[in-house]
Amino acid sequence: MTTATTIPNTLDTRDFAALTVAEHDDRMLVELTRPEVRNAIDETMVAELHAVCTHLENHPKILVITGTQHKGRGIFASGADIGQLRERRRDDALRGINNTIFHRIAQLPSPVIAAVDGYALGGGLELALAADFRVATPHAKFGQPEAGLGIIAAAGGLWRLKNLIGEAVAKEILLAGRILTGEEALAVHLVTGVHAPEDLLDAAQALADRISALDPLAVRISKQVMAMPAGAHPGVDNIAQAILFESDAKFDRMQAFLDRKNNK
C-alpha cells in the first residue's frame, strides 16, 4: 500500500543561511540576508528560494520579498555572486540557475511583491522583475550591468524589462548601462509606488492587505489567465469564469454585496 505524503503547513527554515522567513496565514515575508556581500544571489540563496517556492506552490499565499540593511543603508540585491558567476561555464548557463528560480517565482499561484531599497542590479533587478508588484524607496537603484561584465541579462531581464517599461528605456538600461532611481522607476512604471525607507515594508504590507481582501481563488485564477498567450483568449476566460461561478466565495461575496446595498 502506498502511503500518502503529508506536506507540512509551515516551511522549515532552521537550516536557512541566506533568507529570513516570517510566515503568516495569508502571506510570507522573505528577507534576503547576505548583507556582507550586498545580498549577492548565490547558489545557497537560490536553493532556499526554491524551498520557499515549493512551499508556496502547495500552500498558496502572498509573497513579499525584501532586502536588508548594511551599514545603515538598504540593500535589495546587488546581483549574482560574481565569484561564483565567473567560474560558471556553458553547461551552467544551459542549466539556467537564476533563470529557473526567477521563472518559478513569477509562476507562483498568488501575487508576489518586491519591496526594494538600495541596489537592485543584475540578478537583483531580475528577481524584482519576477514579482507582480514592485514598491521602492527614492534610494533604490535599478540596473542591468551584465554587458559590462561580458554577459547578458539572461535571467529574464532582456524580455521582462522590455515588456514592462517599453523597448526604448529598456535599451538604455540593457545596452547603455542606465541606472534608474526610485523616482525614475516610478515614472516608467517599473514600480507602483515610492516610499521613505522607514515606510517601505508597511507599504508592501498594505498592498498585501488589499490583495488579501479579495477572493484568493479569483486572484489566483486572474493571475494565471493574464499570463496566457493571446491565442488562448477568450476561451480560457470563459472556462476560468465557469470555475469561479460555482465557487462558494462567489455566492457569499455577491450576497454580502447585495445585503450592503439593500441596507443603505
Side-chain angles (χ1 to χ4, degrees):
M1 178 181 291
T2 301
T3 303
T5 301
T6 301
I7 300 172
N9 290 326
T10 58
L11 177 63
D12 185 357
T13 62
R14 288 174 294 180
D15 295 329
F16 277 21
L19 305 178
T20 299
V21 177
E23 187 169 3
H24 307 281
D25 289 342
D26 64 342
R27 72 196 64 177
M28 175 180 285
L29 174 63
V30 170
E31 181 180 341
L32 312 179
T33 47
R34 299 187 73 218
E36 69 284 354
V37 289
R38 295 181 176 178
N39 287 339
I41 300 169
D42 67 347
E43 291 208 46
T44 296
M45 185 180 286
V46 168
E48 292 174 8
L49 286 170
H50 274 296
V52 167
C53 287
T54 296
H55 181 70
L56 293 178
E57 288 160 357
N58 288 290
H59 302 284
K61 57 183 65 179
I62 300 161
L63 173 61
V64 178
I65 304 175
T66 189
T68 188
Q69 293 280 321
H70 182 57
K71 296 182 179 179
R73 295 185 177 181
I75 302 169
F76 184 71
S78 59
D81 188 301
I82 301 300
Q84 289 187 4
L85 197 60
R86 183 185 181 279
E87 300 307 315
R88 291 179 186 170
R89 306 302 293 263
R90 177 184 58 202
D91 288 346
D92 297 305
L94 293 174
R95 284 168 57 203
I97 296 169
N98 287 0
N99 206 356
T100 299
I101 185 56
F102 298 159
H103 181 69
R104 194 175 182 188
I105 290 169
Q107 296 297 310
L108 284 173
S110 296
V112 180
I113 302 167
V116 180
D117 188 18
Y119 293 115
L121 302 176
L125 176 49
E126 289 173 308
L127 172 57
L129 289 170
D132 299 287
F133 304 94
R134 285 153 295 281
V135 292
T137 73
H139 311 296
K141 302 291 184 185
F142 297 95
Q144 299 282 178
E146 283 86 350
L149 297 171
I151 57 174
I152 63 172
L158 288 175
W159 59 276
R160 284 199 178 101
L161 197 60
K162 181 178 70 172
N163 290 345
L164 186 63
I165 66 174
E167 187 170 333
V169 180
K171 282 184 174 179
E172 285 191 65
I173 294 169
L174 291 158
L175 307 183
R178 181 179 175 185
I179 294 177
L180 301 183
T181 65
E183 295 290 351
E184 290 171 329
L186 180 63
V188 298
H189 305 293
L190 176 57
V191 302
T192 59
V194 173
H195 309 272
E198 61 272 19
D199 298 327
L200 179 64
L201 193 54
D202 285 343
Q205 296 283 25
L207 177 54
D209 290 341
R210 287 163 51 194
I211 297 167
S212 185
L214 307 178
D215 174 43
L217 182 60
V219 170
R220 286 174 56 188
I221 290 180
S222 294
K223 178 176 176 177
Q224 290 178 340
V225 173
M226 285 179 69
M228 295 285 185
H233 305 284
V236 69
D237 306 65
N238 295 338
I239 295 169
Q241 191 75 298
I243 294 169
L244 291 167
F245 270 15
E246 299 297 327
S247 71
D248 291 339
K250 175 249 188 177
F251 290 99
D252 293 344
R253 285 172 175 264
M254 288 191 178
Q255 187 60 53
F257 174 85
L258 292 173
D259 291 344
R260 290 192 300 271
K261 182 178 179 181
N262 293 331
N263 291 331
K264 284 184 178 180

